[in-house]
Amino acid sequence: MSPVDALSTLLLAVSLFFFTAGTIGLVRLPDVHSRLHALTKADNVGLGCVVLAVLLQASDWTEGFKLVLIWFLVLAAATNVSFLIAGGTGKRDHDDREGDGR
Amino acid sequence: MNGAPLELFLLVGAALFACGAAGVFRDAEPLRRVIAVNIMGSGVFLLLVAIAARGGGDRPDPVPHAMVLTGIVVAVCATGVALVLADLSGGEEGDDDDGERS
Amino acid sequence: MTIVQLFDALLALLLLWLAWRAVTDAVLFRAVVSFVALGLVLALTWFRLQAPDLALAEAAVGSGLTGALMLAALRRRSDRSSPTPEGPVKGAALRQLPGWVLAFVIFGALSWAVLSLPIPAQGLTEEAHASLEKSGVTNPVTAVLLNYRSYDTLLEIGVLLLAVVAVWSLRVAPRLRPGSPSGPLLEGLLRFLIPLLIITGGYLLWIGAFAPGGAFQGGALLGGACVLVLLGGLTVGPMTGRIVLLRTGLWAGLAVFIAVGLGAMTSDRWFLEYPVERAKLLILLIETAALISIGLTLGCLFYGGRPESGSSDRSSP
């Protein structure tokens, strides 16, 4: 097994650990906020490790770019979704939308 | 990726279809029926894709793939219409004798 | 047992377990979530079975959009009626028995039927690949969809339009219930996500000719962008002028398809028989119009009704 493959495998194993930790947190923690905390952090790091592992195997830079873009998009989406689930309102001081009841 | 155990996936497809069929008769709640019918659809898709993969090697039969793609899109359209109908038919329905639960 | 066999077994178990939960879970929300998860595992299965085009479509449409539709319906349902206590229905087991018996019978018959099919078998693989040079594209699924079986796809686009007509005929769109106000975080996300979705949809459309992708997958992304616009409350201003644009976009796909089909008949060809040297261009033309229609249709399905005409602001509250 070449060193690159070995490193990829190691990264995948690490990501497995993080995903498992996140899932255990999801199942065992008592309330929404702590579960969100566990899930967002652990899963995103896990995904980062997976992306790194696959990045090492990528054939050219366009594939690598797409992989990093995927990771970034998941980060952005997970952040926002966690925020929304946690009930973040982000109220603004002024509202310039007419009839906006939100 | 070769050597997919097609018998296994054929059985799973049949099982999904049967599960969905049971779900349709299980409860009169419209949303559940929509879910159940969608699962039946997924079962059929799995059957078609497994049938398409029978050729072995790297080139599956593209015709069932096209059918399934069409099916996925049509299924979501039907789901959209069904959900509007479910909204309009009201929340309570079904032949519950006690009226305790819709 | 090899790793791959283990993976397949795990996949099969996951599919069955999620389907079971989606059908039998007492809490409807959990059933919907199981269904969405089933869609994602199914997308993985499509990839395993060498159907990447399907994986793209399933993840976007089958799981994502259908999940959004169901969650919206679930919310409207809970808004409408007081939450009924969910739990096992009285006398449920006996009443459900015929359903399960039927399920068993269906499973038995279907398994027997599909397992009697010959494995391996060629199907139409050879024929499909043999005519690829003449079809104008090199992705066989796209060739089947937009050339060999283009009539089916034409009708499918017709079904899309029909679904919007049905939903619009049924009711005026319900107001999206005010949730928490969208703050700078969500707006920041949407500001770059929606243009990215549109660009990626176009990208999928373009590469659909020679790699997994195509009009449907791109249209699904566009539909996702429409849903985000609706959810993020980004529609501003009166809809009146926009309705015409919306209607045009909705029937453009079908219209272009039929026009191309009829146009092909001018030189003593059949309906939808593209001239071989123009096939690539015509397919691209049809797919572009279809992309717009599909995206707008999915957005309209999510909207759940016809837009209120008139001067009232239709932006979600």
Side-chain angles (χ1 to χ4, degrees):
Chain A
M1 201 193 272
S2 77
V4 173
D5 285 349
L7 190 55
S8 286
T9 314
L10 178 65
L11 281 169
L12 282 176
V14 169
S15 79
L16 264 182
F17 164 70
F18 276 106
F19 278 122
T20 313
T23 311
I24 293 179
L26 175 67
V27 171
R28 300 283 299 174
L29 286 174
D31 72 310
V32 174
H33 286 77
S34 45
R35 283 181 196 158
L36 275 177
H37 193 91
L39 211 53
T40 325
K41 298 219 168 22
D43 275 8
N44 284 325
V45 174
L47 183 65
C49 289
V50 169
V51 168
L52 271 178
V54 181
L55 212 52
L56 291 171
Q57 306 278 328
S59 44
D60 62 7
W61 73 270
T62 54
E63 268 188 36
F65 171 71
K66 285 182 204 169
L67 285 169
V68 173
L69 185 63
I70 288 175
W71 183 56
F72 170 66
L73 282 173
V74 173
L75 267 184
T79 312
N80 266 276
V81 170
S82 311
F83 181 67
L84 288 172
I85 292 180
T89 56
K91 275 196 175 41
R92 313 206 296 189
D93 293 337
H94 65 282
D95 201 326
D96 49 4
R97 274 175 298 183
E98 201 65 22
D100 190 323
R102 284 204 188 174
Chain B
M1 286 198 263
N2 296 340
L6 295 176
E7 291 85 352
L8 173 67
F9 284 113
L10 286 172
L11 282 176
V12 172
L16 281 180
F17 186 81
C19 196
V24 170
F25 292 105
R26 205 174 163 272
D27 194 343
E29 162 77 53
L31 237 62
R32 286 188 188 274
R33 282 195 163 149
V34 169
I35 293 178
V37 172
N38 269 310
I39 293 180
M40 286 172 80
S42 300
V44 172
F45 299 156
L46 188 51
L47 285 175
L48 278 173
V49 175
I51 289 174
R54 283 179 308 159
D58 281 330
R59 306 198 309 183
D61 188 352
V63 178
H65 287 184
M67 289 183 189
V68 171
L69 196 52
T70 306
I72 291 176
V73 174
V74 171
V76 75
C77 289
T79 302
V81 178
L83 289 175
V84 172
L85 284 173
D87 271 359
L88 291 175
S89 73
E92 322 298 317
E93 77 302 295
D95 38 323
D96 48 318
D97 309 318
D98 336 277
E100 296 237 309
R101 182 177 166 267
S102 59
Chain C
M1 209 190 208
T2 70
I3 294 283
V4 178
Q5 284 177 324
L6 193 61
F7 177 74
D8 289 331
L10 221 59
L11 210 56
L13 273 174
L14 255 183
L15 286 172
L16 291 172
W17 181 64
L18 285 171
W20 172 263
R21 281 194 53 144
V23 162
T24 57
D25 202 315
V27 179
L28 191 51
F29 178 70
R30 293 209 300 243
V32 172
V33 171
S34 299
F35 175 71
V36 174
L38 176 69
L40 289 175
V41 177
L42 213 49
L44 199 59
T45 313
W46 298 151
F47 190 68
R48 170 70 184 99
L49 289 172
Q50 300 167 268
D53 312 72
L54 294 182
L56 288 171
E58 179 77 46
V61 171
S63 170
L65 207 93
T66 313
L69 286 173
M70 292 218 198
L71 287 173
L74 194 60
R75 183 184 225 185
R76 285 195 294 265
R77 175 182 174 273
S78 70
D79 280 352
R80 202 176 43 237
S81 53
S82 58
T84 49
E86 303 212 43
V89 188
K90 286 188 191 166
L94 201 54
R95 276 207 321 223
Q96 289 164 15
L97 191 57
W100 290 112
V101 168
L102 181 67
F104 250 133
V105 170
I106 290 179
F107 175 65
L110 206 49
S111 310
W112 177 80
V114 292
L115 287 177
S116 354
L117 291 172
I119 297 176
Q122 279 300 1
L124 288 169
T125 319
E126 290 306 318
E127 291 86 338
H129 282 89
S131 305
L132 268 186
E133 301 90 40
K134 289 191 288 180
S135 69
V137 294
T138 43
N139 178 359
V141 177
T142 305
V144 172
L145 271 177
L146 282 147
N147 199 328
Y148 307 151
R149 312 274 315 198
S150 51
Y151 191 49
D152 298 343
T153 310
L154 171 68
L155 294 178
E156 173 194 356
I157 308 234
V159 167
L160 281 168
L161 184 60
L162 205 61
V164 176
V165 168
V167 168
W168 279 20
S169 311
L170 280 172
R171 67 171 177 188
V172 176
R175 288 240 147 197
L176 290 180
R177 181 179 152 221
S180 45
S182 69
L185 198 62
L186 184 60
E187 284 192 10
L189 175 73
L190 294 186
R191 247 177 239 289
F192 85 82
L193 194 58
I194 290 177
L196 185 63
L197 279 173
I198 296 177
I199 292 175
T200 315
Y203 169 71
L204 279 178
L205 170 70
W206 177 253
I207 68 167
F210 50 87
F216 291 101
Q217 292 84 348
L221 287 189
L222 202 62
C226 291
V227 170
L228 283 179
V229 165
L230 288 173
L231 283 178
L234 294 179
T235 51
V236 289
M239 275 286 282
T240 38
R242 312 264 179 90
I243 298 258
V244 175
L245 217 57
L246 178 63
R247 285 177 193 260
T248 313
L250 284 172
W251 55 253
L254 188 61
V256 169
F257 215 139
I258 294 180
V260 169
L262 290 175
M265 289 172 79
T266 51
S267 322
D268 196 31
R269 281 186 294 264
W270 296 103
F271 181 61
L272 284 178
E273 184 185 342
Y274 316 132
V276 174
E277 66 281 1
R278 295 268 192 81
K280 184 170 165 68
L281 184 66
L282 289 175
I283 288 181
L284 190 62
L285 183 65
I286 293 175
E287 281 201 296
T288 309
L291 176 96
I292 298 174
S293 287
I294 293 167
L296 290 176
T297 302
L298 293 177
C300 284
L301 286 177
F302 181 77
Y303 201 39
R306 68 179 169 276
E308 224 178 89
S309 56
S311 54
S312 66
D313 184 5
R314 276 310 297 167
S315 65
S316 53

